[in-house]
Amino acid sequence: MCGITARVGDDDAVDTLLTGLANLEYRGYDSAGLAMENGDGLEVYKREGDLSSLRDAIDAERAEGHIGIGHTRWSTHGAPTNENAHPHTDCTNQVAVVHNGIIENHATLREELTARGHTFTSETDTEVVPHVMEEFLEEGASVESAFRDTISMLSGSFAVAVLVEETGELYATRKGSPLVLGVGENEYFLASDAPAFLEFTDQVVYLEDGDVVRASAEDHHITDANGDPVDRPVQSIDWSPEDAEKGGYDHYMKKEIHEQPTALAQTVRGRVEDGHTGATFEAFSRGEFSDVKQVQFLACGTSYHAALYAQQLLAQRGVPAQVFRAGEYATNPAPLGDDTLVVGVTQSGETADTLGSLRHASDAGARTLAVTNVVGSTAARECDDAVFIRAGPEIGVAATKTFSSQVATLGLLAEQIARDREEANHEEYTSGQSAFLEGVSTLSENVQWLLEGNDVENLVDRYRDADAYFFIGRGVMHPVAKEGALKFKEITYEHAEGFAAGELKHGPLALVTPDTPVFALFSGENDEKTLNNVKEVQARGAPVIGVTATDASEVVDTVDDVLEIPPTHPALAGVAANVQLQLISYHMADRLNRAIDKPRNLAKSVTVE
């Protein structure tokens, strides 16, 4: 995710701001920038790529100023370029803005502002903010009133920090995106995460949604959305800067597991129509997939399991779909037609096998679509279309939040494809998917519920000395079983396998012993069949851990241990179940003292074939 930093004080802010940006590098970024008030107006410096490029530009200009804002950008709207880097300014160059999150109504605002004569220089959603504020200032509003009025016009999730020429003050607010205030001696800081300024102060104020901050070198004021003063306590942080990079978590993987509610909210926001009547993507108009007769997915690793999940969702909607391992597709291609949509699922957008297979499909005349996390990635650039999962950067090698966001994105894509096909055939869209879309809208809350209370650590202690670990599931739970086993073996180095529940008796049952715990996943559909498989392994002495909804009494009564997931649409139960399996893998690896964030022999992005 992007990183915000800001500072106001009596002395020069440049080095402090650059240090803040460097301290936020762990969040991931593709460009960076600063805006400063130097006594003669605002100076803005922006560079794509590594932070060193920005530092060189600032050093060359001998830039200085006692107040400024900075940003490290992870692209969501527009490629990683100098123009798209933050901060963004208005037409008069008097207002500079940095922003995290997504402004959902930016396209409408941009169109209206352009019609009134504003000129835009980037592709970002952020740039509408300084232009809207410019208009309020020109109408005579105070800076604070103009800021409040501007924020009131924005839809979405965001943290925003603003610097206005000659005011000597910073203004900021948050709505669904983190922002903290640092309190120093004759200086104040703003940042997405406290690590940005921990070298300068350990005194912080945690802002709440709707809070508006006004900070100068002498003082700070916090008011709520109505303009009424609020008291937010100043608290001390006892983290070291190194620890704080992980937000207080021992490992990036654990941090990223716990970021999934935020990642899912970002993934889904703006993509479910009011009343849960359909799915919508900004990049696609209604009917975009009306001529699609079949879908082929290309992916590797965790992305392959997300594609298997999507295949199940399309099958439920009557859409033929196949999943291919990208490393095999180019040398053993499947038949392609003009009516084939080839979807490459790749977190980084740089996976060599997936890129090679997408190029083969494109050369054969197929329409290609990238489902990725990285704006400006090779897959996003080379495919005919791209959909971004909006999960934010993922540092741990073992994918966690990106799998959840891939499944949510692909589920919504399946909805649009199915509706477009039905409407093209003059069929009324009555597939009864409003419940599914409502479930998608509550994924974030469900995962948050799960993370706030679970008994995973005690379970790990009971089963840490097993010989092997099996994961079984049916329907959408089959790819989740495979993903659970992959995560387990990746970071624990213990033997783990994932199977379709019904396949146990066709071979794998020979491996079941009292020392092979079996994780059985239940979605709420065909649970009785999976229970039969549970009884098969219990008859061989194997303990069974059921991952199931809290209201599945028959399952709870049958299995030996339970990992609860909240009741939800059966097609989405796998998302929550997968989070429980991530926690199992993480805590087992922690007990075994494994290198969790950097497991042996593995890389985050496999860019060679």
Side-chain angles (χ1 to χ4, degrees), residues 288-454:
E288 188 84 27
F289 302 105
S290 59
D291 60 346
V292 171
K293 295 294 189 296
Q294 65 167 331
V295 178
Q296 293 181 1
F297 291 102
L298 310 176
C300 301
T302 288
S303 296
Y304 177 78
H305 298 149
L308 287 173
Y309 202 124
Q311 179 192 35
Q312 297 274 352
L313 299 178
L314 283 169
Q316 292 171 6
R317 290 156 179 78
V319 181
Q322 296 172 282
V323 185
F324 299 91
R325 296 188 184 276
E328 301 293 323
Y329 184 85
T331 52
N332 296 283
L336 290 167
D338 295 338
D339 53 6
T340 302
L341 175 66
V342 178
V343 181
V345 186
T346 162
Q347 183 277 135
S348 66
E350 305 294 345
T351 308
D353 289 336
T354 306
L355 290 174
S357 293
L358 284 168
R359 288 164 184 154
H360 173 85
S362 181
D363 290 344
R367 178 182 176 183
T368 56
L369 167 65
V371 176
T372 182
N373 198 32
V374 184
V375 175
S377 62
T378 302
R381 294 195 312 270
E382 292 188 0
C383 285
D384 296 313
D385 300 290
V387 169
F388 301 102
I389 68 172
R390 302 174 179 170
E394 191 173 61
I395 296 171
V397 168
T400 52
K401 63 180 180 177
T402 51
F403 177 82
S404 299
S405 291
Q406 283 174 336
V407 170
T409 302
L410 291 167
L412 293 172
L413 182 64
E415 272 295 290
Q416 179 160 358
I417 292 172
R419 179 171 68 175
D420 287 352
R421 280 166 43 97
E422 289 183 24
E423 292 179 346
N425 292 324
H426 307 290
E427 299 176 12
E428 186 178 356
Y429 184 65
T430 56
S431 58
Q433 292 304 314
S434 61
F436 173 82
L437 291 169
E438 184 176 359
V440 171
S441 298
T442 59
L443 279 174
S444 175
E445 292 88 340
N446 285 344
V447 172
Q448 184 65 51
W449 175 90
L450 182 155
L451 290 170
E452 288 174 354
N454 61 76

Side-chain angles (χ1 to χ4, degrees), residues 589-608:
D590 193 39
R591 292 289 194 278
L592 297 171
N593 198 30
R594 306 302 193 209
I596 291 174
D597 286 331
K598 296 181 179 180
R600 67 189 182 199
N601 304 330
L602 302 178
K604 182 62 181 172
S605 179
V606 183
T607 56
V608 294

